[in-house]
């Protein structure tokens, strides 16, 4: 009698490209993320264009100074579908002093493997830049991003309670998991 083993097929990831965000990408990111579902774990509503202008400018500085940033994520046709990359953790709570890897994709790009493919490309670029480890901060309810951290081989290191999203409203606090990966 032969023993049958069930194996899962390897996840076929799409081709992606990463590029340093341009000034024009501020408008693109604003448009791509102007969706309550996309922003559910990032405050719930779209940010002002000026925030994306500042963010893309900061990412260009990070790339010039550190060799990595939140890159504009392009699909195989060269169309922007979001961002992925890494930056120093920008807040006064959480994994202060750590390098955070992250991703945010337009709703139309979800469920196609882009986040995992882009995160894997980011990890390779960070290894090449000599970054020793990264963290990913993920709101505990964000199952899609938790799954990406697992595909990368990240391990849950600790959890934090976020500051209130609405000052003085304790119910707006959430649990954020900090996943860690040694490169």
């Amino acid at each position: 009698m032969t023993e049958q083993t069930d194996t899962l097929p390897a996840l076929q990831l799409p081709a992606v490209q990463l590029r340093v965000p341009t000034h024009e990408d501020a408008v693109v990111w604003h448009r791509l993320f102007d969706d309550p579902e996309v922003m559910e774990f990032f405050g719930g509503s779209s940010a002002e264009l000026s925030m994306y202008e500042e963010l893309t400018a900061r990412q260009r500085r990070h790339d010039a100074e550190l060799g990595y940033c939140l890159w504009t994520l392009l699909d195989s046709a060269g169309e922007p579908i979001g961002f992925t990359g890494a930056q120093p953790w920008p807040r006064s709570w959480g994994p202060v002093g750590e390098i955070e890897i992250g991703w945010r994709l337009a709703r139309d790009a979800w469920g196609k493997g882009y986040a995992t493919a882009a995160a894997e490309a980011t990890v390779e670029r960070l290894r090449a830049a000599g970054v020793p480890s990264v963290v990913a901060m993920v709101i505990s309810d964000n199952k899609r991003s938790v799954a990406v951290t697992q595909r990368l081989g990240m391990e849950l290191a600790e959890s934090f309670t976020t500051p209130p999203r609405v000052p003085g409203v304790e119910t707006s606090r959430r649990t954020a998991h900090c996943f860690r990966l040694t490169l």
Side-chain angles (χ1 to χ4, degrees):
M1 179 178 220
T2 32
E3 184 178 321
Q4 182 178 351
T5 58
D6 293 325
T7 58
L8 295 173
L11 183 61
Q12 187 69 2
L13 297 176
V16 295
Q17 301 168 51
L18 307 177
R19 68 166 161 77
V20 176
T22 65
H23 178 71
E24 293 77 20
D25 283 332
V27 174
V28 173
W29 290 4
H30 183 257
R31 179 182 47 80
L32 292 175
F33 306 144
D34 188 20
D35 179 324
E37 282 187 90
V38 171
M39 298 305 292
E40 177 181 3
F41 302 106
F42 305 99
S45 61
S46 183
E48 296 293 323
L49 176 58
S50 61
M51 192 283 301
Y52 289 108
E53 291 169 337
E54 189 280 326
L55 180 59
T56 55
R58 183 172 5 123
Q59 298 314 311
R60 289 189 294 278
R61 283 192 309 274
H62 284 330
D63 184 70
E65 296 168 5
L66 304 172
Y68 55 85
C69 65
L70 294 177
W71 294 288
T72 295
L73 171 58
L74 308 171
D75 65 14
S76 59
E79 293 299 317
I81 57 172
F83 66 66
T84 191
Q87 64 179 349
W89 175 251
R91 296 173 178 81
S92 61
W93 63 274
V96 176
E98 302 261 10
I99 303 301
E100 179 195 28
I101 185 173
W103 44 86
R104 187 179 309 167
L105 278 65
R107 177 67 186 95
D108 290 346
W110 291 6
K112 299 176 182 173
Y114 288 119
T116 299
E120 287 181 356
T122 295
V123 165
E124 291 308 312
R125 286 186 178 198
L126 294 172
R127 278 190 182 116
V131 174
S133 66
V134 292
V135 297
M137 287 293 290
V138 180
I139 297 298
S140 61
D141 296 336
N142 189 343
K143 304 298 184 212
R144 286 181 179 90
S145 283
V146 168
V148 173
T149 67
Q150 292 169 338
R151 286 185 211 107
L152 289 176
M154 300 184 91
E155 294 183 10
L156 179 60
E158 56 193 312
S159 295
F160 297 92
T161 300
T162 67
R165 288 180 291 162
V166 179
V169 179
E170 290 300 310
T171 57
S172 65
R173 290 179 176 267
R174 299 199 262 183
T175 300
H177 293 314
C178 178
F179 295 90
R180 182 166 277 112
L181 179 66
T182 301
L183 304 180

